[in-house]
Amino acid sequence: MAYKITDKCIGCGACAAQCPVSCIADKGGRYEIDENTCIGCGGCSNVCPVGAPEEN
Ligand code: SF4
Ligand code: SF4
C-alpha cells in the first residue's frame, strides 16, 4: 500500500534521502510521494521526525 505525506510535513528531506525507490520529491517546502512508484516499505514513516507519512 502506498504512503502519502500529510500536512504535518516540515520539509526536512529525511524521507526522500532514504526512500529505496526515490519516489519522494521536494514540492517547495513540503514533500510529496509518487503513489504509483511507492512500494509501501514504511521507511519514510520510520525516519520522519513528525510522523507525517501515513498509509494511504
Ligand atoms: Fe518510499 Fe517506502 Fe516511503 Fe513509499 S513507503 S515513499 S517506497 S520510503
Ligand atoms: Fe516531511 Fe517527514 Fe519527509 Fe521530513 S521526513 S520531509 S517532515 S515527511
mmCIF file of all heavy atoms in Angstrom:
data_model
loop_
_atom_site.group_PDB
_atom_site.id
_atom_site.type_symbol
_atom_site.label_atom_id
_atom_site.label_comp_id
_atom_site.label_asym_id
_atom_site.label_seq_id
_atom_site.Cartn_x
_atom_site.Cartn_y
_atom_site.Cartn_z
ATOM 1 N N MET A 1 0.844 -1.200 0.000
ATOM 2 C CA MET A 1 0.000 0.000 0.000
ATOM 3 C C MET A 1 0.877 1.248 0.000
ATOM 4 O O MET A 1 1.835 1.322 0.753
ATOM 5 C CB MET A 1 -0.910 -0.017 1.236
ATOM 6 C CG MET A 1 -1.855 1.157 1.319
ATOM 7 S SD MET A 1 -2.888 1.081 2.800
ATOM 8 C CE MET A 1 -3.980 -0.280 2.386
ATOM 9 N N ALA A 2 0.561 2.191 -0.828
ATOM 10 C CA ALA A 2 1.356 3.420 -0.927
ATOM 11 C C ALA A 2 1.150 4.313 0.293
ATOM 12 O O ALA A 2 0.114 4.261 0.949
ATOM 13 C CB ALA A 2 0.979 4.185 -2.183
ATOM 14 N N TYR A 3 2.150 5.124 0.565
ATOM 15 C CA TYR A 3 2.072 6.120 1.625
ATOM 16 C C TYR A 3 1.780 7.487 1.023
ATOM 17 O O TYR A 3 2.045 7.736 -0.166
ATOM 18 C CB TYR A 3 3.391 6.169 2.395
ATOM 19 C CG TYR A 3 3.508 5.116 3.471
ATOM 20 C CD1 TYR A 3 3.523 3.762 3.136
ATOM 21 C CD2 TYR A 3 3.595 5.457 4.813
ATOM 22 C CE1 TYR A 3 3.622 2.780 4.118
ATOM 23 C CE2 TYR A 3 3.700 4.486 5.805
ATOM 24 C CZ TYR A 3 3.713 3.152 5.447
ATOM 25 O OH TYR A 3 3.812 2.194 6.416
ATOM 26 N N LYS A 4 1.278 8.372 1.853
ATOM 27 C CA LYS A 4 1.131 9.775 1.465
ATOM 28 C C LYS A 4 1.684 10.626 2.594
ATOM 29 O O LYS A 4 1.714 10.209 3.758
ATOM 30 C CB LYS A 4 -0.333 10.137 1.206
ATOM 31 C CG LYS A 4 -1.190 10.077 2.450
ATOM 32 C CD LYS A 4 -2.611 10.522 2.187
ATOM 33 C CE LYS A 4 -3.432 10.424 3.472
ATOM 34 N NZ LYS A 4 -4.835 10.718 3.291
ATOM 35 N N ILE A 5 2.128 11.845 2.274
ATOM 36 C CA ILE A 5 2.679 12.758 3.271
ATOM 37 C C ILE A 5 1.619 13.789 3.630
ATOM 38 O O ILE A 5 1.101 14.491 2.765
ATOM 39 C CB ILE A 5 3.964 13.423 2.745
ATOM 40 C CG1 ILE A 5 5.053 12.355 2.592
ATOM 41 C CG2 ILE A 5 4.422 14.535 3.686
ATOM 42 C CD1 ILE A 5 6.338 12.847 1.978
ATOM 43 N N THR A 6 1.315 13.845 4.919
ATOM 44 C CA THR A 6 0.255 14.738 5.392
ATOM 45 C C THR A 6 0.786 16.150 5.626
ATOM 46 O O THR A 6 1.982 16.423 5.494
ATOM 47 C CB THR A 6 -0.324 14.201 6.711
ATOM 48 O OG1 THR A 6 0.716 14.226 7.700
ATOM 49 C CG2 THR A 6 -0.829 12.773 6.540
ATOM 50 N N ASP A 7 -0.103 17.042 6.033
ATOM 51 C CA ASP A 7 0.238 18.450 6.253
ATOM 52 C C ASP A 7 1.213 18.661 7.412
ATOM 53 O O ASP A 7 1.713 19.760 7.606
ATOM 54 C CB ASP A 7 -1.038 19.259 6.523
ATOM 55 C CG ASP A 7 -1.881 19.421 5.270
ATOM 56 O OD1 ASP A 7 -1.361 19.169 4.166
ATOM 57 O OD2 ASP A 7 -3.060 19.796 5.393
ATOM 58 N N LYS A 8 1.489 17.621 8.168
ATOM 59 C CA LYS A 8 2.439 17.759 9.275
ATOM 60 C C LYS A 8 3.870 17.917 8.793
ATOM 61 O O LYS A 8 4.753 18.280 9.563
ATOM 62 C CB LYS A 8 2.340 16.533 10.201
ATOM 63 C CG LYS A 8 1.065 16.487 11.011
ATOM 64 C CD LYS A 8 1.062 15.364 12.022
ATOM 65 C CE LYS A 8 0.666 14.042 11.413
ATOM 66 N NZ LYS A 8 0.507 12.980 12.422
ATOM 67 N N CYS A 9 4.124 17.643 7.520
ATOM 68 C CA CYS A 9 5.481 17.694 6.960
ATOM 69 C C CYS A 9 6.131 19.059 7.183
ATOM 70 O O CYS A 9 5.533 20.090 6.892
ATOM 71 C CB CYS A 9 5.430 17.387 5.463
ATOM 72 S SG CYS A 9 7.032 17.508 4.640
ATOM 73 N N ILE A 10 7.379 19.044 7.683
ATOM 74 C CA ILE A 10 8.139 20.278 7.892
ATOM 75 C C ILE A 10 9.256 20.433 6.863
ATOM 76 O O ILE A 10 10.108 21.315 6.973
ATOM 77 C CB ILE A 10 8.717 20.349 9.322
ATOM 78 C CG1 ILE A 10 9.627 19.143 9.608
ATOM 79 C CG2 ILE A 10 7.597 20.448 10.347
ATOM 80 C CD1 ILE A 10 10.386 19.239 10.932
ATOM 81 N N GLY A 11 9.281 19.541 5.881
ATOM 82 C CA GLY A 11 10.214 19.696 4.756
ATOM 83 C C GLY A 11 11.666 19.415 5.059
ATOM 84 O O GLY A 11 12.554 19.964 4.412
ATOM 85 N N CYS A 12 11.926 18.510 5.996
ATOM 86 C CA CYS A 12 13.318 18.262 6.386
ATOM 87 C C CYS A 12 14.090 17.440 5.349
ATOM 88 O O CYS A 12 15.314 17.490 5.297
ATOM 89 C CB CYS A 12 13.365 17.556 7.727
ATOM 90 S SG CYS A 12 12.834 15.827 7.665
ATOM 91 N N GLY A 13 13.389 16.645 4.557
ATOM 92 C CA GLY A 13 14.030 15.863 3.498
ATOM 93 C C GLY A 13 14.556 14.510 3.915
ATOM 94 O O GLY A 13 15.106 13.773 3.089
ATOM 95 N N ALA A 14 14.410 14.137 5.167
ATOM 96 C CA ALA A 14 14.951 12.856 5.636
ATOM 97 C C ALA A 14 14.329 11.675 4.891
ATOM 98 O O ALA A 14 15.015 10.709 4.549
ATOM 99 C CB ALA A 14 14.716 12.710 7.134
ATOM 100 N N CYS A 15 13.065 11.744 4.633
ATOM 101 C CA CYS A 15 12.377 10.633 3.956
ATOM 102 C C CYS A 15 12.890 10.460 2.530
ATOM 103 O O CYS A 15 13.165 9.347 2.078
ATOM 104 C CB CYS A 15 10.878 10.874 3.956
ATOM 105 S SG CYS A 15 10.385 12.452 3.221
ATOM 106 N N ALA A 16 13.021 11.569 1.812
ATOM 107 C CA ALA A 16 13.467 11.498 0.418
ATOM 108 C C ALA A 16 14.864 10.905 0.323
ATOM 109 O O ALA A 16 15.177 10.166 -0.606
ATOM 110 C CB ALA A 16 13.438 12.881 -0.211
ATOM 111 N N ALA A 17 15.704 11.205 1.306
ATOM 112 C CA ALA A 17 17.089 10.734 1.275
ATOM 113 C C ALA A 17 17.185 9.229 1.425
ATOM 114 O O ALA A 17 18.147 8.624 0.958
ATOM 115 C CB ALA A 17 17.883 11.425 2.378
ATOM 116 N N GLN A 18 16.207 8.609 2.061
ATOM 117 C CA GLN A 18 16.324 7.168 2.293
ATOM 118 C C GLN A 18 15.305 6.323 1.532
ATOM 119 O O GLN A 18 15.359 5.102 1.603
ATOM 120 C CB GLN A 18 16.282 6.877 3.786
ATOM 121 C CG GLN A 18 14.928 7.078 4.428
ATOM 122 C CD GLN A 18 14.001 5.913 4.184
ATOM 123 O OE1 GLN A 18 14.368 4.777 4.424
ATOM 124 N NE2 GLN A 18 12.810 6.190 3.665
ATOM 125 N N CYS A 19 14.401 6.912 0.798
ATOM 126 C CA CYS A 19 13.407 6.124 0.053
ATOM 127 C C CYS A 19 14.119 5.216 -0.957
ATOM 128 O O CYS A 19 14.871 5.702 -1.808
ATOM 129 C CB CYS A 19 12.432 7.043 -0.669
ATOM 130 S SG CYS A 19 11.235 6.131 -1.676
ATOM 131 N N PRO A 20 13.888 3.901 -0.902
ATOM 132 C CA PRO A 20 14.617 2.965 -1.770
ATOM 133 C C PRO A 20 14.257 3.086 -3.246
ATOM 134 O O PRO A 20 15.010 2.599 -4.094
ATOM 135 C CB PRO A 20 14.228 1.592 -1.213
ATOM 136 C CG PRO A 20 12.928 1.816 -0.531
ATOM 137 C CD PRO A 20 13.000 3.208 0.030
ATOM 138 N N VAL A 21 13.125 3.695 -3.541
ATOM 139 C CA VAL A 21 12.741 3.834 -4.948
ATOM 140 C C VAL A 21 12.692 5.300 -5.397
ATOM 141 O O VAL A 21 12.184 5.612 -6.479
ATOM 142 C CB VAL A 21 11.393 3.135 -5.237
ATOM 143 C CG1 VAL A 21 11.532 1.630 -5.061
ATOM 144 C CG2 VAL A 21 10.282 3.670 -4.355
ATOM 145 N N SER A 22 13.227 6.186 -4.547
ATOM 146 C CA SER A 22 13.361 7.613 -4.883
ATOM 147 C C SER A 22 12.057 8.231 -5.400
ATOM 148 O O SER A 22 12.046 8.935 -6.405
ATOM 149 C CB SER A 22 14.474 7.813 -5.920
ATOM 150 O OG SER A 22 15.705 7.353 -5.411
ATOM 151 N N CYS A 23 10.969 7.953 -4.695
ATOM 152 C CA CYS A 23 9.673 8.454 -5.168
ATOM 153 C C CYS A 23 9.150 9.627 -4.357
ATOM 154 O O CYS A 23 7.984 9.991 -4.474
ATOM 155 C CB CYS A 23 8.656 7.330 -5.206
ATOM 156 S SG CYS A 23 8.128 6.738 -3.604
ATOM 157 N N ILE A 24 10.019 10.252 -3.525
ATOM 158 C CA ILE A 24 9.599 11.400 -2.725
ATOM 159 C C ILE A 24 10.290 12.641 -3.257
ATOM 160 O O ILE A 24 11.512 12.686 -3.349
ATOM 161 C CB ILE A 24 9.932 11.205 -1.238
ATOM 162 C CG1 ILE A 24 9.384 9.869 -0.735
ATOM 163 C CG2 ILE A 24 9.372 12.368 -0.422
ATOM 164 C CD1 ILE A 24 9.745 9.548 0.704
ATOM 165 N N ALA A 25 9.494 13.658 -3.613
ATOM 166 C CA ALA A 25 10.041 14.861 -4.240
ATOM 167 C C ALA A 25 9.737 16.104 -3.416
ATOM 168 O O ALA A 25 8.679 16.219 -2.798
ATOM 169 C CB ALA A 25 9.464 15.023 -5.634
ATOM 170 N N ASP A 26 10.677 17.043 -3.436
ATOM 171 C CA ASP A 26 10.503 18.352 -2.785
ATOM 172 C C ASP A 26 9.545 19.188 -3.620
ATOM 173 O O ASP A 26 9.805 19.472 -4.781
ATOM 174 C CB ASP A 26 11.866 19.041 -2.694
ATOM 175 C CG ASP A 26 11.804 20.370 -1.951
ATOM 176 O OD1 ASP A 26 10.696 20.832 -1.612
ATOM 177 O OD2 ASP A 26 12.881 20.938 -1.711
ATOM 178 N N LYS A 27 8.435 19.558 -3.022
ATOM 179 C CA LYS A 27 7.441 20.380 -3.723
ATOM 180 C C LYS A 27 7.391 21.774 -3.121
ATOM 181 O O LYS A 27 6.324 22.337 -2.892
ATOM 182 C CB LYS A 27 6.063 19.710 -3.650
ATOM 183 C CG LYS A 27 5.995 18.366 -4.333
ATOM 184 C CD LYS A 27 6.073 18.508 -5.846
ATOM 185 C CE LYS A 27 5.899 17.149 -6.516
ATOM 186 N NZ LYS A 27 6.041 17.241 -7.982
ATOM 187 N N GLY A 28 8.553 22.335 -2.839
ATOM 188 C CA GLY A 28 8.615 23.689 -2.334
ATOM 189 C C GLY A 28 8.248 23.799 -0.873
ATOM 190 O O GLY A 28 7.218 24.383 -0.539
ATOM 191 N N GLY A 29 9.078 23.237 -0.003
ATOM 192 C CA GLY A 29 8.851 23.374 1.432
ATOM 193 C C GLY A 29 8.204 22.174 2.057
ATOM 194 O O GLY A 29 8.354 21.936 3.244
ATOM 195 N N ARG A 30 7.463 21.428 1.288
ATOM 196 C CA ARG A 30 6.972 20.144 1.804
ATOM 197 C C ARG A 30 7.189 19.091 0.727
ATOM 198 O O ARG A 30 7.479 19.417 -0.421
ATOM 199 C CB ARG A 30 5.518 20.200 2.250
ATOM 200 C CG ARG A 30 4.541 20.744 1.257
ATOM 201 C CD ARG A 30 3.132 20.554 1.756
ATOM 202 N NE ARG A 30 2.845 19.120 1.911
ATOM 203 C CZ ARG A 30 1.620 18.612 1.978
ATOM 204 N NH1 ARG A 30 0.585 19.403 1.943
ATOM 205 N NH2 ARG A 30 1.428 17.314 2.095
ATOM 206 N N TYR A 31 7.038 17.846 1.124
ATOM 207 C CA TYR A 31 7.398 16.752 0.229
ATOM 208 C C TYR A 31 6.179 15.935 -0.164
ATOM 209 O O TYR A 31 5.206 15.846 0.578
ATOM 210 C CB TYR A 31 8.457 15.868 0.917
ATOM 211 C CG TYR A 31 9.849 16.466 0.851
ATOM 212 C CD1 TYR A 31 10.126 17.673 1.494
ATOM 213 C CD2 TYR A 31 10.860 15.856 0.140
ATOM 214 C CE1 TYR A 31 11.390 18.237 1.425
ATOM 215 C CE2 TYR A 31 12.128 16.408 0.072
ATOM 216 C CZ TYR A 31 12.383 17.607 0.712
ATOM 217 O OH TYR A 31 13.635 18.167 0.638
ATOM 218 N N GLU A 32 6.267 15.356 -1.367
ATOM 219 C CA GLU A 32 5.162 14.537 -1.860
ATOM 220 C C GLU A 32 5.673 13.192 -2.354
ATOM 221 O O GLU A 32 6.757 13.097 -2.921
ATOM 222 C CB GLU A 32 4.455 15.255 -3.023
ATOM 223 C CG GLU A 32 3.533 16.366 -2.577
ATOM 224 C CD GLU A 32 2.774 16.985 -3.740
ATOM 225 O OE1 GLU A 32 2.826 16.443 -4.866
ATOM 226 O OE2 GLU A 32 2.127 18.020 -3.512
ATOM 227 N N ILE A 33 4.841 12.183 -2.171
ATOM 228 C CA ILE A 33 5.157 10.818 -2.619
ATOM 229 C C ILE A 33 4.434 10.529 -3.927
ATOM 230 O O ILE A 33 3.232 10.784 -4.050
ATOM 231 C CB ILE A 33 4.724 9.794 -1.545
ATOM 232 C CG1 ILE A 33 5.582 9.966 -0.285
ATOM 233 C CG2 ILE A 33 4.801 8.370 -2.082
ATOM 234 C CD1 ILE A 33 5.104 9.153 0.903
ATOM 235 N N ASP A 34 5.175 9.986 -4.896
ATOM 236 C CA ASP A 34 4.555 9.472 -6.118
ATOM 237 C C ASP A 34 3.939 8.119 -5.778
ATOM 238 O O ASP A 34 4.635 7.119 -5.633
ATOM 239 C CB ASP A 34 5.604 9.333 -7.217
ATOM 240 C CG ASP A 34 5.033 8.705 -8.484
ATOM 241 O OD1 ASP A 34 3.830 8.344 -8.493
ATOM 242 O OD2 ASP A 34 5.784 8.577 -9.460
ATOM 243 N N GLU A 35 2.624 8.112 -5.633
ATOM 244 C CA GLU A 35 1.945 6.906 -5.155
ATOM 245 C C GLU A 35 2.008 5.758 -6.159
ATOM 246 O O GLU A 35 1.765 4.602 -5.815
ATOM 247 C CB GLU A 35 0.498 7.248 -4.806
ATOM 248 C CG GLU A 35 0.414 8.215 -3.630
ATOM 249 C CD GLU A 35 -1.009 8.682 -3.352
ATOM 250 O OE1 GLU A 35 -1.944 8.127 -3.946
ATOM 251 O OE2 GLU A 35 -1.165 9.613 -2.546
ATOM 252 N N ASN A 36 2.312 6.049 -7.391
ATOM 253 C CA ASN A 36 2.422 4.992 -8.405
ATOM 254 C C ASN A 36 3.763 4.265 -8.320
ATOM 255 O O ASN A 36 3.906 3.178 -8.871
ATOM 256 C CB ASN A 36 2.237 5.572 -9.797
ATOM 257 C CG ASN A 36 0.835 6.099 -10.000
ATOM 258 O OD1 ASN A 36 -0.135 5.465 -9.604
ATOM 259 N ND2 ASN A 36 0.714 7.276 -10.601
ATOM 260 N N THR A 37 4.733 4.887 -7.669
ATOM 261 C CA THR A 37 6.063 4.294 -7.561
ATOM 262 C C THR A 37 6.319 3.727 -6.164
ATOM 263 O O THR A 37 7.049 2.758 -6.008
ATOM 264 C CB THR A 37 7.136 5.357 -7.893
ATOM 265 O OG1 THR A 37 6.839 5.905 -9.175
ATOM 266 C CG2 THR A 37 8.527 4.738 -7.939
ATOM 267 N N CYS A 38 5.711 4.311 -5.152
ATOM 268 C CA CYS A 38 5.895 3.873 -3.764
ATOM 269 C C CYS A 38 5.596 2.379 -3.613
ATOM 270 O O CYS A 38 4.571 1.893 -4.107
ATOM 271 C CB CYS A 38 4.965 4.678 -2.855
ATOM 272 S SG CYS A 38 4.960 4.149 -1.133
ATOM 273 N N ILE A 39 6.498 1.668 -2.913
ATOM 274 C CA ILE A 39 6.315 0.233 -2.682
ATOM 275 C C ILE A 39 5.813 -0.064 -1.264
ATOM 276 O O ILE A 39 5.710 -1.218 -0.865
ATOM 277 C CB ILE A 39 7.622 -0.548 -2.952
ATOM 278 C CG1 ILE A 39 8.764 -0.031 -2.060
ATOM 279 C CG2 ILE A 39 8.009 -0.445 -4.435
ATOM 280 C CD1 ILE A 39 10.035 -0.861 -2.135
ATOM 281 N N GLY A 40 5.519 1.013 -0.515
ATOM 282 C CA GLY A 40 4.907 0.821 0.792
ATOM 283 C C GLY A 40 5.802 0.224 1.861
ATOM 284 O O GLY A 40 5.317 -0.434 2.780
ATOM 285 N N CYS A 41 7.102 0.498 1.774
ATOM 286 C CA CYS A 41 8.050 -0.125 2.711
ATOM 287 C C CYS A 41 7.961 0.473 4.115
ATOM 288 O O CYS A 41 8.397 -0.141 5.079
ATOM 289 C CB CYS A 41 9.464 0.010 2.181
ATOM 290 S SG CYS A 41 10.116 1.699 2.212
ATOM 291 N N GLY A 42 7.441 1.701 4.219
ATOM 292 C CA GLY A 42 7.320 2.337 5.525
ATOM 293 C C GLY A 42 8.563 3.056 5.997
ATOM 294 O O GLY A 42 8.577 3.622 7.089
ATOM 295 N N GLY A 43 9.616 3.047 5.203
ATOM 296 C CA GLY A 43 10.869 3.685 5.603
ATOM 297 C C GLY A 43 10.712 5.162 5.868
ATOM 298 O O GLY A 43 11.299 5.697 6.819
ATOM 299 N N CYS A 44 9.921 5.841 5.060
ATOM 300 C CA CYS A 44 9.718 7.282 5.247
ATOM 301 C C CYS A 44 9.060 7.560 6.590
ATOM 302 O O CYS A 44 9.445 8.481 7.309
ATOM 303 C CB CYS A 44 8.893 7.857 4.108
ATOM 304 S SG CYS A 44 7.354 6.964 3.788
ATOM 305 N N SER A 45 8.086 6.751 6.927
ATOM 306 C CA SER A 45 7.395 6.923 8.200
ATOM 307 C C SER A 45 8.338 6.684 9.375
ATOM 308 O O SER A 45 8.298 7.386 10.386
ATOM 309 C CB SER A 45 6.211 5.959 8.267
ATOM 310 O OG SER A 45 5.504 6.117 9.473
ATOM 311 N N ASN A 46 9.241 5.725 9.211
ATOM 312 C CA ASN A 46 10.177 5.396 10.290
ATOM 313 C C ASN A 46 11.179 6.515 10.554
ATOM 314 O O ASN A 46 11.596 6.719 11.692
ATOM 315 C CB ASN A 46 10.929 4.106 9.957
ATOM 316 C CG ASN A 46 10.035 2.889 10.003
ATOM 317 O OD1 ASN A 46 9.017 2.887 10.672
ATOM 318 N ND2 ASN A 46 10.415 1.848 9.276
ATOM 319 N N VAL A 47 11.599 7.230 9.526
ATOM 320 C CA VAL A 47 12.620 8.270 9.724
ATOM 321 C C VAL A 47 12.025 9.659 9.958
ATOM 322 O O VAL A 47 12.728 10.565 10.390
ATOM 323 C CB VAL A 47 13.611 8.345 8.540
ATOM 324 C CG1 VAL A 47 14.341 7.012 8.361
ATOM 325 C CG2 VAL A 47 12.940 8.783 7.255
ATOM 326 N N CYS A 48 10.768 9.846 9.662
ATOM 327 C CA CYS A 48 10.177 11.193 9.773
ATOM 328 C C CYS A 48 10.098 11.649 11.228
ATOM 329 O O CYS A 48 9.552 10.938 12.076
ATOM 330 C CB CYS A 48 8.776 11.200 9.169
ATOM 331 S SG CYS A 48 8.007 12.831 9.265
ATOM 332 N N PRO A 49 10.618 12.851 11.544
ATOM 333 C CA PRO A 49 10.608 13.329 12.928
ATOM 334 C C PRO A 49 9.232 13.768 13.426
ATOM 335 O O PRO A 49 9.047 13.930 14.635
ATOM 336 C CB PRO A 49 11.578 14.526 12.892
ATOM 337 C CG PRO A 49 11.519 15.014 11.487
ATOM 338 C CD PRO A 49 11.321 13.782 10.631
ATOM 339 N N VAL A 50 8.280 13.980 12.511
ATOM 340 C CA VAL A 50 6.966 14.471 12.934
ATOM 341 C C VAL A 50 5.815 13.530 12.559
ATOM 342 O O VAL A 50 4.646 13.880 12.687
ATOM 343 C CB VAL A 50 6.699 15.886 12.358
ATOM 344 C CG1 VAL A 50 7.675 16.897 12.942
ATOM 345 C CG2 VAL A 50 6.764 15.885 10.835
ATOM 346 N N GLY A 51 6.135 12.346 12.054
ATOM 347 C CA GLY A 51 5.082 11.380 11.743
ATOM 348 C C GLY A 51 4.181 11.788 10.598
ATOM 349 O O GLY A 51 2.989 11.445 10.590
ATOM 350 N N ALA A 52 4.736 12.496 9.619
ATOM 351 C CA ALA A 52 3.899 12.998 8.530
ATOM 352 C C ALA A 52 3.448 11.940 7.518
ATOM 353 O O ALA A 52 2.326 12.008 7.033
ATOM 354 C CB ALA A 52 4.616 14.132 7.809
ATOM 355 N N PRO A 53 4.298 10.966 7.158
ATOM 356 C CA PRO A 53 3.833 9.978 6.172
ATOM 357 C C PRO A 53 2.844 8.984 6.803
ATOM 358 O O PRO A 53 3.083 8.471 7.902
ATOM 359 C CB PRO A 53 5.123 9.249 5.750
ATOM 360 C CG PRO A 53 6.240 10.140 6.192
ATOM 361 C CD PRO A 53 5.733 10.793 7.433
ATOM 362 N N GLU A 54 1.762 8.736 6.111
ATOM 363 C CA GLU A 54 0.768 7.777 6.589
ATOM 364 C C GLU A 54 0.382 6.841 5.463
ATOM 365 O O GLU A 54 0.449 7.213 4.294
ATOM 366 C CB GLU A 54 -0.499 8.523 7.072
ATOM 367 C CG GLU A 54 -0.255 9.376 8.291
ATOM 368 C CD GLU A 54 -1.516 10.100 8.748
ATOM 369 O OE1 GLU A 54 -2.543 10.037 8.029
ATOM 370 O OE2 GLU A 54 -1.459 10.735 9.816
ATOM 371 N N GLU A 55 -0.053 5.646 5.828
ATOM 372 C CA GLU A 55 -0.545 4.713 4.815
ATOM 373 C C GLU A 55 -1.786 5.308 4.160
ATOM 374 O O GLU A 55 -2.681 5.809 4.839
ATOM 375 C CB GLU A 55 -0.882 3.363 5.447
ATOM 376 C CG GLU A 55 0.344 2.501 5.671
ATOM 377 C CD GLU A 55 -0.045 1.114 6.151
ATOM 378 O OE1 GLU A 55 -0.524 1.008 7.277
ATOM 379 O OE2 GLU A 55 0.148 0.162 5.379
ATOM 380 N N ASN A 56 -1.829 5.220 2.863
ATOM 381 C CA ASN A 56 -2.946 5.824 2.106
ATOM 382 C C ASN A 56 -4.170 4.917 2.130
ATOM 383 O O ASN A 56 -4.040 3.731 2.277
ATOM 384 C CB ASN A 56 -2.496 6.084 0.663
ATOM 385 C CG ASN A 56 -3.194 7.273 0.065
ATOM 386 O OD1 ASN A 56 -4.123 7.808 0.659
ATOM 387 N ND2 ASN A 56 -2.774 7.673 -1.091
HETATM 388 FE FE1 SF4 B 1 9.485 5.446 -0.344
HETATM 389 FE FE2 SF4 B 1 8.936 3.363 1.227
HETATM 390 FE FE3 SF4 B 1 8.004 5.773 1.872
HETATM 391 FE FE4 SF4 B 1 6.987 4.505 -0.233
HETATM 392 S S1 SF4 B 1 6.817 3.852 1.931
HETATM 393 S S2 SF4 B 1 7.596 6.650 -0.149
HETATM 394 S S3 SF4 B 1 8.777 3.409 -1.005
HETATM 395 S S4 SF4 B 1 10.172 5.152 1.808
HETATM 396 FE FE1 SF4 B 2 8.389 15.881 5.647
HETATM 397 FE FE2 SF4 B 2 8.771 13.900 7.401
HETATM 398 FE FE3 SF4 B 2 9.744 13.721 4.926
HETATM 399 FE FE4 SF4 B 2 10.824 15.417 6.695
HETATM 400 S S1 SF4 B 2 10.831 13.160 6.843
HETATM 401 S S2 SF4 B 2 10.334 15.854 4.514
HETATM 402 S S3 SF4 B 2 8.986 16.111 7.815
HETATM 403 S S4 SF4 B 2 7.572 13.800 5.524
#
